[in-house]
C-alpha cells in the first residue's frame, strides 16, 4: 500500500518518545537490533564532474577547486579494500565522479575492481552516475551487490540543488538497476535549506518505489566552502533523529544508514539514531572528499552500546 505524505507527516510529528519506541519496535521485528553493518568507501576517481550538484566539491560548477584524481588502478583499490575488511567492513563502496561512465577503458577497470573486491569476501557497491542497461548487466556479472544512486532531496526541492538532471531521471535509473538484479542504495542529504516537509517527501518517494532501496543513506550536509549550500542552516539533531525513525517505519526491511556528517553528531545523538533504526554506518576516515569518524571512536561507541559489527560471512 502506498504511503501518503499526510500519514508520514503524522508519524514524523508523533511525540518524540512515541516515535522512537514505534521505530524501535519495527526495527526489532526486522533486524538484529544489537548489530550494525559497516561499509568503507573510496573515491576511485575524483573531481572534474560536469553535473551541478549544489553540495558537491567535485562539480566543476562550484568554486571548490579540489584536485582532480584520475581513476585509480584496481590493485590500489584492492589494497584499500583489504584493509577495510581487516577493520570489520562487510561492504566496500567505490565512487567515481561524473554524470556517467563515458570511457570504456574506465568502465572495464571498475568491473575489474568489483570482481577483485568481491573475491575478498566483501559485498561490493559502486556509484557511477547514470548507467546504460548493458553496463548494469556487466556490473551484475562482475559481482556487483549494490549500486548507489541518491535521490538527494524531495521532488519539489530538487531543482534548487541540481539542474543538470531531474529526479525522474534518477528514479528511472534506480528501477533499471533493480531490473538488472542489483540492490539499490538510495537516500539523500539534509541541511541544504530544505524543510522537514521536503525531508518527509523524500522518504515517502523512496518508500513508495516498486522496490524500496535495500539501503537508505541519510547524509547530514557537510558544508564545503565554495559549494552553493555552504551557508545553509544545519538540521536540528532531534529532527535528524525523527527522520531516521521515519525512514525505519516507512522502510522496515531496508538498512538505514547514517552517511556523511556523522562526525558532527554527538555519541548520544548517534545512540538515539541507532535506537530509532539506524543499522548501517561508514567507518572509513574519509567519505569521498570529507572527513568521517576515526575508527577507534566507533569501536568505543559500539562497546558502550553493546553493539556487534554485522558480518554476513559468518
Ligand atoms: S554528486 Fe556526483 S554527479 Fe553530483 S557533482 Fe558530485 S560527483 Fe558529480
Amino acid at each position: 500500500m502506498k504511503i501518503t505524505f499526510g500519514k508520514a507527516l503524522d508519524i514524523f510529528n508523533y511525540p518524540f518518545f512515541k516515535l522512537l519506541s514505534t521505530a524501535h519496535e519495527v526495527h526489532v521485528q526486522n533486524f538484529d537490533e544489537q548489530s550494525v553493518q559497516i561499509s568503507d568507501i573510496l573515491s576511485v576517481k575524483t573531481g572534474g564532474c560536469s553535473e551541478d550538484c549544489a553540495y558537491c566539491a567535485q562539480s566543476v560548477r562550484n568554486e571548490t577547486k579540489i584536485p582532480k584524481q584520475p581513476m585509480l588502478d584496481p590493485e590500489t583499490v584492492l589494497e584499500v579494500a583489504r584493509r577495510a575488511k581487516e577493520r570489520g567492513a562487510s561492504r566496500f563502496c567505490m565512487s567515481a565522479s561524473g554524470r556517467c561512465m563515458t570511457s570504456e577503458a574506465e568502465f572495464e577497470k571498475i568491473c575489474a575492481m568489483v570482481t577483485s573486491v568481491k573475491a575478498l569476501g566483501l559485498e561490493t557497491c559502486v556509484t557511477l552516475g547514470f548507467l546504460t542497461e548493458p553496463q548494469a548487466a556487466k556490473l551484475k556479472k562482475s559481482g556487483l551487490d549494490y549500486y548507489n544512486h541518491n535521490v538527494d532531496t524531495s521532488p519539489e526541492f530538487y531543482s534548487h540543488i541540481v539542474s543538470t538532471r531531474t529526479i525522474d531521471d534518477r528514479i528511472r535509473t534506480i528501477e533499471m538497476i533493480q531490473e538488472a538484479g542489483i540492490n539499490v542504495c538510495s537516500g539523500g542529504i539534509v541541511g541544504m535549506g530544505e524543510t522537514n516537509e521536503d525531508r518527509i517527501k523524500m522518504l515517502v518517494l523512496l518508500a513508495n518505489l516498486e522496490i524500496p532501496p535495500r539501503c537508505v543513506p541519510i547524509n547530514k550536509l557537510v558544508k564545503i566552502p565554495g559549494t552553493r549550500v555552504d551557508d545553509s542552516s544545519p538540521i536540528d539533531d532531534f529532527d535528524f533523529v525523527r527522520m531516521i525513525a521515519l525512514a525505519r517505519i516507512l522502510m522496515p526491511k531496508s538498512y538505514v544508514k547514517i552517511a556523511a556528517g556523522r562526525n558532527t553528531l554527538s555519541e548520544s545523538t548517534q545512540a538515539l539514531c541507532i535506537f530509532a533504526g539506524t543499522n548501517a554506518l561508514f567507518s572509513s576516515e574519509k567519505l569521498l572528499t570529507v572527513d568521517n569518524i576515526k575508527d577507534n571512536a566507533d569501536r568505543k561507541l559500539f562497546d558502550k552500546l553493546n553493539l556487534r559489527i554485522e558480518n554476513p560471512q559468518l
Side-chain angles (χ1 to χ4, degrees):
M1 197 172 62
K2 297 282 184 201
I3 292 134
T4 63
F5 169 71
K7 178 66 188 158
L9 181 64
D10 280 352
I11 297 171
F12 184 87
N13 285 326
Y14 276 177
F16 187 69
F17 292 119
K18 177 181 172 184
L19 175 60
L20 255 59
S21 59
T22 306
H24 187 67
E25 188 62 28
V26 173
H27 187 44
V28 170
Q29 283 165 8
N30 292 281
F31 288 97
D32 171 6
E33 81 276 21
Q34 234 67 60
S35 86
V36 178
Q37 187 273 327
I38 298 296
S39 301
D40 254 41
I41 187 167
L42 177 68
S43 180
V44 300
K45 179 186 175 194
T46 309
C49 182
S50 60
E51 296 285 88
D52 71 348
C53 308
Y55 51 83
C56 183
Q58 305 194 58
S59 168
V60 292
R61 321 242 191 152
N62 290 329
E63 302 293 324
T64 44
K65 301 185 178 53
I66 61 156
K68 261 177 88 168
Q69 170 211 281
M71 187 157 290
L72 299 173
D73 287 322
E75 298 72 34
T76 308
V77 174
L78 187 61
E79 190 45 43
V80 179
R82 198 172 280 128
R83 290 201 298 272
K85 188 181 179 191
E86 284 166 8
R87 289 201 306 273
S90 59
R91 188 177 312 150
F92 190 69
C93 310
M94 294 157 271
S95 166
S97 61
R99 178 179 169 83
C100 57
M101 281 271 115
T102 48
S103 152
E104 190 56 31
E106 287 189 348
F107 183 69
E108 289 299 326
K109 268 192 180 181
I110 294 280
C111 292
M113 290 172 197
V114 168
T115 302
S116 55
V117 170
K118 180 84 175 168
L120 282 182
L122 287 164
E123 289 182 319
T124 53
C125 177
V126 295
T127 180
L128 314 171
F130 293 112
L131 278 186
T132 62
E133 282 183 31
Q135 284 175 331
K138 179 83 193 284
L139 285 167
K140 172 73 181 167
K141 209 167 156 201
S142 303
L144 188 69
D145 297 298
Y146 282 81
Y147 195 86
N148 168 262
H149 204 62
N150 288 337
V151 294
D152 289 344
T153 189
S154 70
E156 290 78 0
F157 195 65
Y158 200 78
S159 62
H160 294 269
I161 299 302
V162 191
S163 74
T164 44
R165 57 174 187 260
T166 68
I167 201 163
D168 287 341
D169 295 333
R170 297 296 262 193
I171 298 294
R172 273 191 289 278
T173 306
I174 286 172
E175 289 171 346
M176 187 264 281
I177 291 160
Q178 289 173 330
E179 277 163 25
I182 300 167
N183 292 302
V184 161
C185 168
S186 184
I189 306 171
V190 293
M192 302 189 291
E194 76 289 334
T195 61
N196 275 339
E197 283 71 20
D198 287 307
R199 296 162 189 157
I200 295 165
K201 283 175 181 168
M202 178 183 84
L203 293 179
V204 169
L205 171 76
L206 293 169
N208 282 337
L209 291 174
E210 193 71 29
I211 307 169
R214 179 69 176 143
C215 181
V216 180
I218 307 293
N219 296 272
K220 186 178 170 204
L221 178 70
V222 177
K223 291 183 198 169
I224 302 168
T227 59
R228 303 197 309 284
V229 286
D230 62 3
D231 61 350
S232 55
S233 310
I235 182 172
D236 176 83
D237 280 357
F238 288 100
D239 284 344
F240 189 84
V241 178
R242 281 182 184 274
M243 247 204 109
I244 295 287
L246 182 64
R248 168 52 63 227
I249 294 166
L250 298 189
M251 291 171 275
K253 308 262 182 226
S254 304
Y255 283 84
V256 175
K257 177 183 278 191
I258 307 179
R262 189 161 62 90
N263 55 350
T264 66
L265 299 174
S266 67
E267 282 192 334
S268 314
T269 303
Q270 291 183 58
L272 284 176
C273 289
I274 292 168
F275 183 80
T278 292
N279 59 347
L281 300 170
F282 278 115
S283 68
S284 32
E285 295 194 355
K286 277 260 177 209
L287 292 179
L288 306 183
T289 63
V290 299
D291 289 338
N292 190 36
I293 300 267
K294 303 285 177 227
D295 197 41
N296 268 345
D298 270 348
R299 295 309 169 106
K300 286 181 195 152
L301 179 62
F302 293 168
D303 284 347
K304 287 181 199 177
L305 301 178
N306 312 103
L307 292 173
R308 291 185 296 274
I309 296 178
E310 178 183 299
N311 188 343
Q313 308 307 319
L314 297 179

